[in-house]
Amino acid sequence: MKIAIGADHAGYRLKDVIIPFIESLGHEVEDFGCDCAQSVDYPDYAIPVCERVIEGRADRGILICGTGIGMSIAANKMPGIRCALVHDLFSAKATREHNDTNVIALGERVIGPGAAEEIIRIWLDTPFSNGERHVGRVNKVKQLEDKFSLHP
């Protein structure tokens, strides 16, 4: 799988730790920064990651900021993105099985590298269930997106 990854100043250290981990799982990683502690704006890093996923040039995206909240808000404004903020193993599995998420947001100030690696491993390894109820719910979310999109 090809994974696009981006972080702001509050998440770049975790990003730099998990990139080699993701590569060790056999995935290709495209890093969209940032690479410093100087304050930056999280949407500037969420946008290119999500664009890669929307365009099909990345299979999934990973976003990291201090809490993961800002990144998840920015990501979910983009059509075709289903981003989940995840800080535990159960949610990592459930959001793939039930919501077919294509982007995950993590908070460096909330979880450590060990937890992040396990969350990412589970999220990357878990397929969408394709269960009738889950497909129906994801389709309803897509319908909402279409209804309220400024650019159909």
Side-chain angles (χ1 to χ4, degrees), residues 30-44:
E30 187 174 7
D31 183 356
F32 288 90
C34 95
D35 295 311
C36 67
Q38 183 179 351
S39 183
V40 298
D41 297 331
Y42 59 82
D44 295 338

Side-chain angles (χ1 to χ4, degrees), residues 6-24:
D8 71 2
H9 60 283
Y12 84 95
R13 289 179 237 31
L14 182 58
K15 175 185 65 75
D16 290 346
V17 169
I18 63 173
I19 287 173
F21 171 75
I22 296 166
E23 291 172 336
S24 78

Side-chain angles (χ1 to χ4, degrees), residues 69 74 97 111:
I69 297 168
E97 286 180 339
I111 59 172

